[in-house]
Amino acid sequence: PIGPADISTDSEEDLSEISGSELDEEITWIEWFCHLKGNEFFVEVDEDYIQDDFNLTGLSAQVPYYEYALNMILDFDDQDEQLPEDQQPLVETAAQMLYGLIHARFILTSRGMAAMLDKYQRLVYGICPLSQCEAFKQAVLPIGQSDLLRQSTAKVFCPACREVFCPRSSKLEALDGAYFGTSFAHLFFLTYQYLVPQVVLTPYVPRLYGFKIHKSVKDNLRKQREQAQRRLPDGGGARRSDEILAD
């Protein structure tokens, strides 16, 4: 995943998306971070949520430089012990990791879910690539395949076909799946049940010259392969190849 340290050189261009009136005021780290290119998939987590220690339970063991990263996110500068300059990029990367993990928890709350609803309705996360879903532009939500960092990148979940896909956006796919978690998408559609499509998708049926391929054909081919493999001794194929090459 790309951290603030890696993309800080583009901050001036990215901040151009923020209105002039907002630039007149000092923006917070959270606002800055969420306006960076590639970070539009995040919602802005409320600072009062982050300041509640209960909401951060267990995160200090997952993120290096935890206290420094947390202070950076909350724009606290009153650090008793300053880190060397060469360690500052590590703190910035840790701040992105910590914010992502906090984000995964925040979007499970009513306020976080409402913010994600706005992005879902604006198709920020794209549409389902399945041909039948794509026909009616079915929106998707980000989902993680693990709640732990560095296990898998973000995927997208479609409520119509109930499948998980790699996102079309390379920027979304570059984010850690733990920043959205394994539960959010399902809780979202339990909360907003009116968003679950009431459509019945027709399974794709393979055909040859217009005729359906009978299930027995696939079963027979599979059985033939299994029988052929059982007839061959272990490594027999490799030995015959060696003998042919030797001749």
Side-chain angles (χ1 to χ4, degrees), residues 97-167:
M97 294 167 54
L98 178 58
Y99 185 83
L101 293 174
I102 295 172
H103 179 270
R105 298 183 178 190
F106 177 70
I107 58 179
L108 296 174
T109 69
S110 57
R111 286 183 295 180
M113 207 166 290
M116 292 293 283
L117 172 62
D118 175 66
K119 290 183 179 292
Y120 174 78
Q121 292 176 325
R122 291 191 287 110
L123 304 180
V124 170
Y125 305 108
I127 61 175
C128 180
L130 192 70
S131 59
Q132 293 185 66
C133 299
E134 189 178 33
F136 54 89
K137 295 184 178 180
Q138 175 58 54
V140 293
L141 274 181
I143 190 171
Q145 294 180 302
S146 173
D147 293 312
L148 300 177
L149 287 168
R150 301 188 184 92
Q151 299 300 307
S152 67
T153 57
K155 304 296 186 289
V156 290
F157 172 76
C158 173
C161 63
R162 298 183 176 275
E163 293 288 349
V164 172
F165 301 93
C166 292

Side-chain angles (χ1 to χ4, degrees), residues 172-241:
L172 177 55
E173 191 174 17
L175 297 177
D176 198 298
Y179 296 165
F180 302 97
T182 58
S183 302
F184 163 69
H186 309 301
L187 182 60
F188 180 91
F189 289 113
L190 285 173
T191 304
Y192 302 109
Q193 294 187 27
Y194 68 92
L195 292 175
V196 179
Q198 303 300 314
V199 296
V200 179
L201 300 179
T202 305
Y204 173 74
V205 179
R207 296 176 183 271
L208 281 175
Y209 304 109
F211 296 98
K212 294 181 182 179
I213 300 176
H214 198 274
K215 183 177 182 293
S216 62
V217 175
K218 181 186 287 188
D219 292 339
N220 289 334
L221 289 173
R222 178 176 54 80
K223 290 177 182 178
Q224 290 175 14
R225 285 197 301 270
E226 291 175 352
Q227 290 173 357
Q229 290 173 354
R230 282 196 293 267
R231 284 197 297 267
L232 292 175
D234 291 342
R239 284 196 295 273
R240 282 193 298 271
S241 297

Side-chain angles (χ1 to χ4, degrees), residues 39-101:
N39 287 354
E40 63 270 18
F41 307 108
F42 292 100
V43 300
E44 295 185 13
V45 179
D46 297 339
E47 287 194 8
D48 58 349
Y49 180 87
I50 301 176
Q51 291 174 359
D52 186 338
D53 291 338
F54 177 79
N55 297 326
L56 310 184
T57 302
L59 295 184
S60 60
Q62 300 183 51
V63 179
Y65 301 99
Y66 174 80
E67 291 295 338
Y68 293 96
L70 182 59
N71 287 336
M72 177 175 287
I73 291 172
L74 293 174
D75 298 303
F76 290 163
D77 295 327
D78 53 345
Q79 299 262 144
D80 295 332
E81 181 182 348
Q82 295 294 329
L83 285 173
E85 190 67 26
D86 61 345
Q87 294 187 31
Q88 193 62 22
L90 300 176
V91 175
E92 293 174 352
T93 300
Q96 185 228 354
M97 294 167 54
L98 178 58
Y99 185 83
L101 293 174

